Amino acid sequence: MKVRSTLAASVALALLSGTIVTAVAGGASILLPSPSAVAQQATLNLAGEGEGTLSLRGRPNQIITFVTVASRPNRQTNISLRLADGNLMQWTGRLLSRKATEARIRLTNAGMADATGTLTLRFQGDRLISLIGNGSIDSQPMSVRFTIGDDSVNRPPTTATARTLAQSGRGIFGLQGRPNRPITFASASIQANGQAELSIRLNDGSLISFGGQQTHQNAYEIVLNLTSSGMADARGTANIRYGANNSIKEIVANGTMDGQSFFIQFTGQ
């Protein structure tokens, strides 16, 4: 009678806590997670606004500005990438694993195209911090790198190396409420710890500099998270395409300076 009452109490507690009970020989019981509890733990509902790059062989690189990730109890996962041109790219996959702040997804489709590869996500609560992955879309090699534009979170480690880039060229610096001004020269200095400075020389000889942190680097592009401009507060992202001999091919940046929107468009000569 005592064994039965103990087992009944275990069953009642299990039903309240989302577990199931298995009876074994000798009257003992084992508490196991219920399928619904496991499924709930596996789901994701994440979103993050920032900047990243989608690279696909045979096509120009595309800038990513916003990402959402949502998974179902059966682990099917939908990934949406908002591009800088306003288009939305939707991928599907399967959630392979989830930890407290990291998850891995195996890609299966990219719209109507076949896709393979693995995405690694970092997050805090429902806020996506980064998305990094490699694979293929319709047999063409693909890579994606995205991180949110928020210095209050711990970003993925970068592999920054000290370098200085510089180039004469032509461009435009725009600041809300003021006329656009021509750019004649640009430089970028990145330290080994990822700290960076981006400077542009205007046609009247004045210099505008931004401080920030490198968030991504590959063989052709550096991404900076801008955090200051002289004595002014600044927030924004700069994509710097570079070439041989530390030359700058292109700079595209936008954000705010003391609450005023700004942009930089520069092409090296």
Side-chain angles (χ1 to χ4, degrees):
M1 183 66 65
K2 184 176 180 180
V3 170
R4 290 181 180 178
S5 61
T6 301
L7 180 58
S10 298
V11 171
L13 179 61
L15 292 175
L16 291 175
S17 61
T19 57
I20 59 175
V21 178
T22 301
V24 297
S29 61
I30 301 174
L31 300 180
L32 299 174
S34 69
S36 61
V38 173
Q40 184 65 30
Q41 293 171 358
T43 59
L44 292 171
N45 189 13
L46 309 174
E49 183 176 7
E51 186 126 2
T53 302
L54 172 64
S55 299
L56 182 63
R57 178 182 291 178
R59 300 183 184 180
N61 290 342
Q62 300 189 72
I63 302 301
I64 306 167
T65 62
F66 188 77
V67 175
T68 63
V69 179
S71 66
R72 301 176 183 175
N74 64 0
R75 293 183 176 265
Q76 181 177 334
T77 305
N78 296 323
I79 305 100
S80 297
L81 310 176
R82 174 70 67 185
L83 305 181
D85 60 9
N87 289 326
L88 190 66
M89 183 171 291
Q90 295 183 314
W91 295 349
T92 57
R94 180 172 177 78
L95 185 63
L96 296 177
S97 64
R98 173 182 173 170
K99 300 179 182 178
T101 60
E102 186 175 292
R104 295 175 65 246
I105 296 169
R106 184 178 68 240
L107 285 179
T108 55
N109 298 92
M112 299 297 292
D114 293 331
T116 63
T118 302
L119 303 178
T120 300
L121 316 176
R122 294 182 66 246
F123 54 90
Q124 290 180 353
D126 59 0
R127 179 169 56 169
L128 178 69
I129 295 173
S130 67
L131 181 151
I132 298 174
N134 295 279
S136 66
I137 297 177
D138 272 350
S139 301
Q140 298 300 311
M142 174 276 299
S143 68
V144 59
R145 300 287 187 275
F146 174 85
T147 186
I148 67 169
D150 186 350
D151 280 344
S152 67
V153 301
N154 295 321
R155 295 179 177 276
T158 62
T159 56
T161 57
R163 67 169 61 216
T164 299
L165 309 171
Q167 191 70 40
S168 297
R170 300 177 62 183
I172 294 293
F173 171 69
L175 182 63
Q176 184 178 349
R178 301 183 185 181
N180 292 344
R181 303 172 69 182
I183 304 170
T184 61
F185 181 83
S187 66
S189 177
I190 299 97
Q191 305 301 317
N193 62 2
Q195 291 185 349
E197 182 176 276
L198 172 65
S199 298
I200 54 173
R201 178 78 66 185
L202 304 181
N203 65 338
D204 62 1
S206 59
L207 190 70
I208 298 176
S209 296
F210 296 87
Q213 184 76 22
Q214 177 178 301
T215 60
H216 175 66
Q217 176 184 339
N218 57 32
Y220 54 87
E221 185 179 50
I222 292 172
V223 180
L224 304 182
N225 183 50
L226 305 178
T227 57
S228 64
S229 178
M231 300 298 292
D233 292 329
R235 293 291 182 271
T237 304
N239 290 67
I240 305 171
R241 292 180 57 242
Y242 64 96
N245 302 317
N246 291 325
S247 61
I248 295 176
K249 292 185 175 181
E250 183 183 42
I251 298 175
V252 177
N254 70 288
T256 60
M257 296 174 60
D258 278 346
Q260 303 298 309
S261 298
F262 80 88
F263 72 89
I264 296 171
Q265 178 68 56
F266 175 83
T267 302
Q269 293 179 338

